[in-house]
């Protein structure tokens, strides 16, 4: 048989060849066509490569470049342009420009603080995407760690500038904000959505976190009592030595707690989350929006950008207190933690409104536990390395406020249920704390505005 003067195989051979190809692995010709579109082109040998093969290789390279370009555009759209809060991102560069042009501390502080808010929220988003590729236990640890990254970065820069009281008060404020404001809003939002029933959470995990928080209070209370009762063996030295020793003990306890979560409870958590994961998969059809490597890259980018803005924020905080006539204690305890807890605040409410209250408690109470048992002792050790006398004496007013807060929240969690009224009570308690710090004058703070 000849077609256009060329010799080809008989028609019967074409038919048998089609039948064989159609029966391979039970796939049709259309399925093979789909796979060829989705799969990268095959590498052909260089020797004896026909002209068409060379052209095919060039087309493959163009396809890879276009794929990379489209992936980058999709990433920017998902991470940067989807959330409305990201409209605040340009305020970060604006803070740097204002600092170099005018050095007006009030504006630099406000712009850098507002610029950090969307970065903290996007940091939480990137962490959530990374959690899809890790186990649930490791994921909760990553959520708590990167959720507190903003506060820790601000604290390290403040320690470097010798602002010990700002470090102490911002870390204290982070605990108060998570336990009262974030948890209160989660209870309130979930209670409004499920107003006809009480939401239930794992009481044993809440009790364990409450015990760790009470231990942290004990660690903070001992140096304060030693200082105010004037019973130090060596005045000015025993308090600092006790703080450093207690910080080491608290870090050991927190490391043991993490080991307990990762090893001892791994089987239980994996079994429970498998069942929950199957239900969620069928109901919510949740899937990662970006890949694992992309999530790691975005985490590094947002962490670095937060570190840059935190330096400007810390350098402007004392001048902003005078310029805006706001007490430094109020800025440190109330305003800074709200900025750092933006990601936790949004995610805790979202999970509570989906009736996933265990995750909301893990975000709010777990974050408070990590700041109390890891963040504060870590800053004491970092101060020790830097030669800065950071201690656990948070002064009587702050320590008493923390103790009362932990007791109130422990009572709220003891029955393992929540409703909108409990959430409203926690929010109102936070308003009382905020008002208390607005009228509180810290004698050790520098740059308190006159007449406050």
């Amino acid at each position: 048989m000849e077609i256009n003067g060329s010799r080809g195989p008989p028609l019967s051979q074409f038919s048998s060849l089609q039948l064989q190809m159609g029966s391979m692995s039970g796939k049709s010709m259309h399925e093979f066509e789909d796979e060829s579109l989705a799969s990268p082109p095959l590498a052909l040998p260089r020797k004896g490569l026909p002209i068409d093969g060379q052209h095919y290789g060039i087309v493959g390279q163009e396809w890879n470049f276009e794929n990379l370009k489209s992936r980058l555009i999709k990433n920017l759209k998902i991470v940067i342009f989807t959330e409305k809060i990201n409209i605040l991102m340009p305020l970060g560069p604006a803070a740097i420009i204002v600092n170099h042009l005018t050095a007006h501390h009030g504006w630099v502080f406000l712009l850098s603080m507002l610029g950090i808010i969307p970065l903290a929220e996007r940091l939480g988003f990137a962490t959530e995407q990374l959690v899809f590729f890790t186990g649930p236990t490791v994921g909760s640890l990553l959520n708590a760690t990167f959720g507190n990254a903003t506060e820790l970065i601000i604290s390290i820069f403040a320690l470097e500038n010798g602002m010990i009281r700002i470090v102490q008060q911002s870390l204290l404020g982070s605990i108060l904000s998570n336990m009262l404001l974030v948890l209160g809003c989660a209870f309130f939002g979930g209670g409004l959505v499920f107003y006809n029933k009480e939401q239930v959470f794992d009481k044993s995990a809440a009790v364990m976190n409450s015990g760790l928080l009470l231990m942290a209070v004990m660690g903070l209370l001992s140096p304060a009592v030693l200082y105010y009762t004037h019973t130090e063996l060596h005045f000015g030295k025993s308090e600092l030595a006790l703080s450093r020793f207690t910080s080491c003990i608290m870090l050991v306890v927190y490391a043991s707690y993490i080991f307990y979560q990762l090893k001892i409870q791994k089987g239980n958590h994996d079994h429970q989350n498998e069942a929950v994961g199957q239900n969620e998969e069928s109901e919510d059809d949740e899937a990662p929006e970006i890949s694992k490597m992309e999530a790691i890259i975005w985490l590094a980018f947002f962490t670095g950008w937060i570190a840059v803005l935190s330096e400007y924020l810390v350098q402007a905080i004392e001048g902003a207190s005078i310029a805006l006539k706001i007490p430094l204690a109020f800025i440190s305890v109330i305003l800074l933690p709200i900025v750092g807890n933006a990601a936790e605040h949004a995610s805790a409410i979202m999970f509570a409104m989906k009736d996933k209250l265990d995750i909301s408690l893990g975000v709010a109470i777990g974050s408070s536990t990590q700041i109390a048992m890891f963040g504060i002792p870590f800053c004491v050790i970092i101060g020790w390395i830097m030669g800065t006398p950071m201690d656990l004496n948070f002064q009587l007013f702050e320590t008493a406020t923390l103790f009362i807060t932990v007791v109130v929240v422990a009572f709220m969690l003891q029955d393992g249920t929540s409703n909108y009224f409990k959430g409203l009570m926690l929010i109102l308690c936070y308003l009382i704390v905020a008002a208390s710090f607005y009228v509180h004058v810290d004698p050790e703070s520098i740059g308190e505005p006159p007449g406050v």
Side-chain angles (χ1 to χ4, degrees):
M1 179 179 178
E2 294 185 359
I3 300 174
N4 295 332
S6 62
R7 184 175 299 274
L11 184 62
S12 59
Q13 293 184 14
F14 274 117
S15 301
S16 61
L17 182 62
Q18 286 180 346
L19 289 173
Q20 290 176 4
M21 293 179 66
S23 61
M24 287 175 62
S25 303
K27 295 184 178 180
S28 66
M29 291 293 292
H30 295 292
E31 291 174 330
F32 275 102
E33 290 176 2
D34 293 340
E35 288 184 2
S36 65
L37 291 174
S39 305
L42 296 174
L44 298 176
R46 292 186 178 274
K47 293 183 178 180
L49 186 68
I51 297 176
D52 291 342
Q54 291 177 356
H55 178 70
Y56 185 74
I58 295 172
V59 172
Q61 291 176 4
E62 290 177 355
W63 183 86
N64 286 333
F65 175 76
E66 289 297 325
N67 183 43
L68 182 64
K69 181 181 175 182
S70 64
R71 191 69 192 172
L72 178 61
I73 295 173
K74 183 180 179 182
N75 255 260
L76 290 174
K77 183 179 178 181
I78 292 173
V79 179
I80 303 296
F81 298 108
T82 52
E83 294 296 327
K84 294 179 180 179
I85 196 174
N86 290 345
I87 198 173
L88 298 176
M89 278 191 180
L91 297 182
I96 299 175
I97 295 172
V98 170
N99 180 73
H100 288 289
L101 293 180
T102 66
H104 190 285
H105 288 166
W107 280 110
V108 173
F109 174 78
L110 289 176
L111 290 173
S112 56
M113 182 178 67
L114 293 174
I116 287 176
I117 291 176
L119 297 178
E121 192 276 333
R122 290 289 85 187
L123 190 69
F125 168 79
T127 307
E128 289 173 3
Q129 296 299 305
L130 190 60
V131 167
F132 281 106
F133 305 98
T134 63
T137 308
V138 177
S140 62
L141 179 60
L142 284 173
N143 265 319
T145 302
F146 282 99
N148 293 323
T150 306
E151 293 95 325
L152 292 177
I153 292 172
I154 293 175
S155 299
I156 291 173
F157 279 108
L159 274 178
E160 191 177 0
N161 288 273
M163 302 175 180
I164 297 175
R165 288 298 291 157
I166 291 176
V167 175
Q168 291 177 333
Q169 291 174 341
S170 63
L171 292 175
L172 172 77
S174 180
I175 299 173
L176 298 176
S177 174
N178 276 300
M179 295 186 68
L180 295 177
L181 184 61
V182 176
L183 186 62
C185 289
F187 280 2
F188 186 73
L192 289 181
V193 174
F194 302 96
Y195 65 92
N196 55 347
K197 69 168 187 175
E198 283 195 331
Q199 293 180 288
V200 180
F201 53 86
D202 185 8
K203 187 166 63 173
S204 61
V207 169
M208 179 176 293
N209 280 287
S210 298
L212 288 171
L213 287 169
L214 283 171
M215 180 179 178
V217 171
M218 184 180 71
L220 300 180
L221 195 61
S222 299
V225 172
L226 189 68
Y227 174 80
Y228 282 100
T229 55
H230 304 287
T231 55
E232 295 179 79
L233 180 61
H234 302 288
F235 183 76
K237 295 181 179 180
S238 298
E239 174 192 343
L240 184 60
L242 176 63
S243 298
R244 290 169 175 172
F245 174 78
T246 305
S247 297
C248 293
I249 297 298
M250 291 167 72
L251 288 175
V252 170
V253 172
Y254 185 73
S256 303
Y257 170 66
I258 295 301
F259 178 81
Y260 176 76
Q261 277 194 320
L262 294 178
K263 299 297 181 183
I264 308 300
Q265 289 188 334
K266 184 177 181 181
N268 296 333
H269 280 308
D270 288 346
H271 178 71
Q272 291 173 0
N273 281 283
E274 266 179 25
V276 174
Q278 290 174 357
N279 295 332
E280 289 177 359
E281 212 175 299
S282 59
E283 294 174 4
D284 299 333
D285 196 22
E286 295 179 353
E289 299 180 51
I290 57 179
S291 69
K292 181 179 180 180
M293 184 55 63
E294 290 164 350
I296 294 173
I297 293 173
W298 282 114
L299 274 176
F301 172 76
F302 287 127
T303 303
W305 187 223
I306 287 173
V308 172
L309 288 183
S310 297
E311 186 174 4
Y312 287 91
L313 181 73
V314 168
Q315 291 175 354
I317 189 170
E318 291 180 350
S321 175
I322 298 172
L324 302 175
K325 296 182 179 180
I326 300 177
L328 194 57
F330 183 82
I331 293 177
S332 303
V333 177
I334 304 300
L335 296 184
L336 291 183
I338 288 178
V339 172
N341 292 332
E344 290 99 326
H345 205 152
S347 59
I349 297 174
M350 177 188 68
F351 286 126
M353 294 176 71
K354 292 181 178 180
D355 203 17
K356 300 175 182 178
L357 210 57
D358 284 324
I359 304 179
S360 295
L361 257 74
V363 170
I365 303 298
S367 183
S368 299
T369 303
Q370 189 178 62
I371 285 291
M373 297 298 295
F374 173 76
I376 294 175
F378 176 76
C379 287
V380 173
I381 302 302
I382 291 295
W384 190 2
I385 296 171
M386 290 180 177
T388 304
M390 166 81 179
D391 57 26
L392 296 179
N393 181 12
F394 278 42
Q395 306 300 321
L396 192 59
F397 183 81
E398 288 85 348
T399 307
T401 303
L402 178 62
F403 174 71
I404 295 171
T405 298
V406 172
V407 171
V408 169
V409 173
F411 271 103
M412 293 284 187
L413 300 178
Q414 66 177 350
D415 61 346
T417 62
S418 76
N419 50 58
Y420 71 91
F421 181 65
K422 285 185 177 181
L424 182 62
M425 289 173 64
L426 292 176
I427 295 172
L428 295 179
C429 286
Y430 187 74
L431 293 179
I432 294 174
V433 170
S436 301
F437 278 98
Y438 190 80
V439 299
H440 171 65
V441 178
D442 185 9
E444 295 192 15
S445 294
I446 302 172
E448 287 286 358
V452 178

